[in-house]
Amino acid sequence: MSSHGDPIPMTSTKCGPLNGVAKVPGDKSISHRSLILGALCVGETTITGLLEGQDVLDTATAMRAFGAEVVNHGDGKWSVHGVGVGGFAEPDQVIDCGNSGTGARLIMGAMATCPIVATFTGDTSLNKRPMARITEPLLQFGAQSFGRSSGRLPMTLVGAVEPIPVNYVVPVPSAQVKSAVLLAGLNAPGETVVIEAEDTRDHTERMLAAFGAEIKTKVSDAGRVITLQGQPELTPLHIDVPRDPSSAAFPVCAALIVPGSDVLVPTIGLNPTRAGLFDTLREMGADLTYENERTEGGEPVADLRARFSPNLIGIEVPAHRAASMIDEYPVFSVVASFANGTTHMAGVKELRVKESDRIEAMAAGLRAAGVSVEDGPDWWTIVGMGHGNVPGGASCESYLDHRIAMAFMVMGMAANAPITIDDVGPIATSFPIFEPLMVRLGADLSRV
Ligand code: S3P
């Protein structure tokens, strides 16, 4: 079932070369944070290039419910009149975060140190996902949570009236947990410290600094130690959201496996905490180059050029790289199927608690398409069949997961027989223009 209506099945059929410029939408992580931090400033934050996917629209609605004025001026231009740190008003209605774990976890963090009560829910996928990972630190600030069994949504959070700053070692590699703690720390007096053993995306830290918070990161034996001084006055900003590397992954990977392709994806955010896929693809022999490397709005960006790469080789993807390509494993596993030799991915336990169990979802569809896959609790292995040898001809399920749906659509572009997916509706959460953009490049996608 689609998260927002009837299922939309789609078939992807082997196509001719993909060519042209792929202007993918704004970065999802940065878009959520722009709205939330904008809501925590006094004054007007302006945003261009905001991702207008359902996940981010749900966060915009939530920020309005907490009292911020969020206006869509059209064409990716938005403004937020915030309420100030600690100024969230109590919402009248349940906050529905739809399919978005990032929205739910970051907003719950931001409200946990405000003296208000709010109830959060989501779609069938989000309501299955673990929330104890954030309520555990939020309770330390003095908040209270009342959720379903195993700490799942729907959940009511009672914000701390007198928040206590927290010193928290993040037990799983998760930017969402780190960010929830930092956003809660904003309204606690004194210093909140977060320690992460593995580097995860650092957009929250960069953006907090840009909004004027006192935040420092130092590297210690225990990992990155991030110290935030609580109760700052955040100053509004203009944010130009770079295009999303996690969305760029789809046209890039498609170009690598479809013969004759040459695709340029301009202005892609290349924050090192997000660029693991592109490093890995280059190690496999992908013809992938960075052009015009530059910095925009505090984030490194470049134009990516991907060309058909017939001689990709299977690779060992180390556990330490997992966080920097965590959202890209579904489409990466498709590329690995077209490589020569075996690809092993280690340290990927977190894939089991995303919008779907992404190892199980991909393994099922890949096996149905004739690819040999093995998996364990925190690893999986794909036996690459080499260019031109992937049978395809499968019906796959997306499990309410946008990235699973897009990964199988990419597979159909190069497999020998078409791939059908049960529901592409979830794609609208992160990449609403996926279908027209890929068709313009040359993909053969048809609604069944
Ligand atoms: C995100 C962090 C990641 C990622 C998600 C977006 C973020 O989740 O999978 O799509 O914006 O902070 P985890 O932090 O749970 O790994």
Side-chain angles (χ1 to χ4, degrees):
M1 267 282 290
S2 172
S3 44
H4 299 278
D6 291 336
I8 308 167
M10 187 177 277
T11 297
S12 173
T13 304
K14 193 169 189 164
C15 59
L18 300 170
N19 277 303
V21 177
K23 291 188 177 170
V24 304
D27 189 279
K28 184 150 73 74
S29 294
I30 296 177
S31 294
H32 281 295
R33 287 158 173 80
S34 304
L35 292 170
I36 296 169
L37 285 176
L40 293 172
C41 290
V42 177
E44 189 188 56
T45 289
T46 52
I47 308 166
T48 47
L50 189 85
L51 166 65
E52 292 174 1
Q54 193 56 45
D55 279 8
V56 176
L57 298 178
D58 288 336
T59 288
T61 304
M63 291 304 99
R64 291 188 187 110
F66 283 107
E69 193 186 316
V70 182
V71 182
N72 177 1
H73 300 278
D75 231 11
K77 296 194 181 85
W78 289 66
S79 61
V80 185
H81 273 273
V83 292
V85 168
F88 271 2
E90 188 163 280
D92 295 335
Q93 303 289 344
V94 171
I95 303 295
D96 187 349
C97 295
N99 191 248
S100 180
T102 308
R105 294 184 177 124
L106 268 56
I107 297 167
M108 287 166 85
M111 76 129 290
T113 49
C114 298
I116 57 172
V117 179
T119 300
F120 294 84
T121 193
D123 69 3
T124 317
S125 155
L126 181 56
N127 286 1
K128 283 187 199 151
R129 296 180 66 185
M131 291 295 155
R133 55 177 55 196
I134 61 153
T135 50
E136 210 238 341
L138 298 183
L139 300 197
Q140 294 182 25
F141 282 98
Q144 289 173 278
S145 71
F146 304 91
R148 285 194 306 135
S149 56
S150 318
R152 274 150 227 256
L153 301 184
M155 179 182 286
T156 295
L157 207 55
V158 181
V161 177
E162 288 185 21
I164 310 153
V166 156
N167 197 316
Y168 193 68
V169 180
V170 183
V172 283
S174 169
Q176 293 177 356
V177 175
K178 171 179 66 176
S179 301
V181 176
L182 290 172
L183 292 171
L186 274 178
N187 197 37
E191 279 183 358
T192 286
V193 180
V194 188
I195 301 169
E196 60 175 5
E198 289 173 51
D199 295 359
T200 64
R201 65 193 70 193
D202 61 357
H203 306 301
T204 304
E205 297 92 300
R206 285 175 190 249
M207 209 180 276
L208 278 169
F211 272 100
E214 213 180 291
I215 181 164
K216 285 187 229 107
T217 299
K218 66 172 201 240
V219 178
S220 75
D221 291 345
R224 287 209 283 205
V225 180
I226 303 145
T227 307
L228 172 73
Q229 192 62 47
Q231 299 182 325
E233 204 163 296
L234 301 181
T235 344
L237 270 190
H238 173 72
I239 300 164
D240 194 10
V241 179
R243 298 182 201 278
D244 197 327
S246 300
S247 296
F250 296 99
V252 162
C253 289
L256 299 180
I257 60 171
V258 174
S261 298
D262 185 348
V263 170
L264 184 75
V265 199
T267 332
I268 291 304
L270 279 184
N271 181 315
T273 60
R274 299 283 299 280
L277 170 74
F278 305 125
D279 296 339
T280 306
L281 292 172
R282 296 217 278 195
E283 287 171 14
M284 292 172 90
D287 186 349
L288 183 61
T289 48
Y290 295 170
E291 299 176 2
N292 286 321
E293 286 184 61
R294 56 206 186 271
T295 301
E296 284 186 15
E299 294 275 349
V301 298
D303 305 333
L304 286 191
R305 179 162 214 150
R307 296 185 182 92
F308 174 53
S309 305
N311 298 314
L312 296 169
I313 43 166
I315 197 175
E316 190 71 33
V317 187
H320 69 77
R321 191 171 286 168
S324 69
M325 56 181 283
I326 195 69
D327 291 336
E328 285 68 75
Y329 283 99
V331 72
F332 174 69
S333 69
V334 169
V335 176
S337 308
F338 288 82
N340 295 302
T342 298
T343 290
H344 180 71
M345 295 161 269
V348 290
K349 193 164 70 188
E350 281 295 301
L351 290 179
R352 297 210 178 267
V353 290
K354 294 294 177 189
E355 285 83 331
S356 66
D357 176 337
R358 285 183 170 162
I359 298 179
E360 196 176 303
M362 287 309 299
L366 290 172
R367 285 180 188 129
V371 180
S372 205
V373 183
E374 279 183 57
D375 68 285
D378 69 345
W379 59 269
W380 50 325
T381 298
I382 312 263
V383 182
M385 305 184 84
H387 163 64
N389 300 326
V390 175
S395 288
C396 305
E397 283 182 66
S398 63
Y399 299 97
L400 277 182
D401 189 330
H402 52 136
R403 300 202 198 280
I404 301 299
M406 289 186 279
F408 283 122
M409 290 295 89
V410 168
M411 184 167 204
M413 294 172 203
N416 294 337
I419 303 277
T420 296
I421 190 101
D422 62 335
D423 185 13
V424 292
I427 295 176
T429 60
S430 69
F431 197 162
I433 58 166
F434 175 80
E435 183 185 351
L437 182 146
M438 293 306 305
V439 167
R440 220 174 301 122
L441 293 176
D444 181 354
L445 302 178
S446 55
R447 294 193 177 217
V448 182

